[in-house]
Amino acid sequence: MGKLDGQVALISGGARGQGEAQARVFAREGAAVALGDVLEDDGQRVAESINDTGGQAMFRRLDVTEVSSWNSMVDETVSQFGRLDIVINNAGIARVKLIEESTLEEYLEVIRINQLGVWLGMKAAIPALKEAGGGCIINTSSTAGLEGYAGLGAYVSSKFAVRGMTKVAAIELAQYNIRVNSVHPGPIDTPMIRDPQIRASSDQDFDIARTSPIPRVGHVDEVAAMMLFIAADATYSTGSEFVIDGGVTAGSALNRDRD
């Protein structure tokens, strides 16, 4: 018996990194998983791999900034699997640039994917979740939704917004038995933070992680385990922030030197 037997989960950004790990863990726990991403080859590979190992998965191209793309994703998920119980808004990007040097277009690119994408995902999924009698929405924020980071003005703005809209949605949807929570990962070893375009920031992230209370970078499977806990076990939690950062946001130690 899996923790998610009979349930259906839709995961945006499911083609790699944290989204892929979440899809694999949820499938192992009995959920049918619908993966949405713009990375079509990677997404198909993940879905086929899950199906080949006895799980249930489908992949569809999803542009999280488009209303029609979200509506199609939800409709096709329900058509194939019969219902929708869990939504993980996981898709996101980061761009490193000082506010003074950023263009409006660069700022809005991050806001559209990280912030608007989450809002559209919740809006598109609500009717299906209501039809199922309730469910769970998990929005991926960041430690950048809890504190500021120089050079990440757009990213921080978007992740604080995700944190706020999660609380609003939790209040609005509780009457329908729909829980809404945000997850706030710290430095996690994913393709995104290894992207050469944000290498300078990822170096900083790795340095922060090495001097945090748990002196290492986090793994995608650890984030997936947190997502599973929220979806399956945290039944009295809504509007909450689940932090998984190795202690980065706990505060500064007096002596952080390590051998």
Side-chain angles (χ1 to χ4, degrees), residues 12-31:
S12 75
R16 65 178 190 176
Q18 292 182 37
E20 176 182 353
Q22 292 154 23
R24 294 186 184 280
V25 167
F26 278 42
R28 286 199 298 269
E29 290 293 335

Side-chain angles (χ1 to χ4, degrees), residues 218-250:
H219 303 302
V220 291
D221 288 344
E222 292 172 309
V223 180
M226 174 73 83
M227 297 293 195
L228 177 62
F229 169 74
I230 297 168
D233 298 315
T235 53
Y236 195 53
S237 294
T238 196
S240 298
E241 297 144 357
F242 291 82
V243 181
I244 178 166
D245 70 349
V248 168
T249 58

Side-chain angles (χ1 to χ4, degrees), residues 31-234:
V33 293
L35 312 179
D37 209 307
V38 294
L39 302 175
E40 297 183 53
D41 291 342
D42 289 339
Q44 288 286 4
R45 171 187 57 79
V46 174
E48 290 171 6
S49 173
I50 291 171
N51 289 328
D52 289 344
T53 54
Q56 297 183 76
M58 59 169 265
F59 171 79
R60 297 292 183 272
R61 188 182 191 280
L62 172 63
D63 181 344
V64 297
T65 69
E66 295 291 338
V67 174
S68 59
S69 187
W70 263 117
N71 289 339
S72 294
M73 185 77 210
V74 172
D75 288 346
E76 291 185 42
T77 299
V78 174
S79 177
Q80 179 151 338
F81 295 128
R83 59 187 293 128
L84 180 60
D85 303 281
I86 301 163
V87 177
I88 301 181
N89 283 302
N90 189 70
I93 63 170
R95 297 288 183 265
V96 180
K97 216 163 197 183
L98 298 176
I99 292 173
E100 184 180 10
E101 299 171 356
S102 299
T103 67
L104 176 60
E105 291 73 22
E106 290 168 335
Y107 178 82
L108 290 177
E109 178 191 22
V110 176
I111 296 299
R112 288 190 185 101
I113 294 173
N114 295 7
Q115 178 177 334
L116 178 62
V118 170
W119 188 86
L120 291 176
M122 290 194 294
K123 183 174 176 60
I126 288 169
L129 293 171
K130 285 183 178 180
E131 182 67 22
C136 174
I137 298 173
I138 307 173
N139 296 326
T140 302
S141 180
S142 168
T143 53
L146 302 170
E147 59 184 14
Y149 294 94
L152 290 171
Y155 187 76
V156 169
S157 297
S158 69
K159 294 304 186 178
F160 263 83
V162 168
R163 176 186 173 196
M165 73 174 77
T166 295
K167 294 183 180 297
V168 173
I171 296 167
E172 293 180 353
L173 300 178
Q175 62 183 311
Y176 305 111
N177 194 33
I178 299 171
R179 295 181 295 112
V180 190
N181 293 287
S182 58
V183 172
H184 298 258
I188 306 296
D189 191 4
T190 64
M192 186 178 79
I193 69 169
R194 292 185 177 279
D195 187 319
Q197 293 185 7
I198 60 171
R199 186 69 232 185
S201 176
S202 65
D203 284 341
Q204 182 183 39
D205 285 341
F206 278 75
D207 288 340
I208 290 171
R210 291 188 189 102
T211 57
S212 69
I214 299 177
R216 63 172 175 81
V217 173
H219 303 302
V220 291
D221 288 344
E222 292 172 309
V223 180
M226 174 73 83
M227 297 293 195
L228 177 62
F229 169 74
I230 297 168
D233 298 315

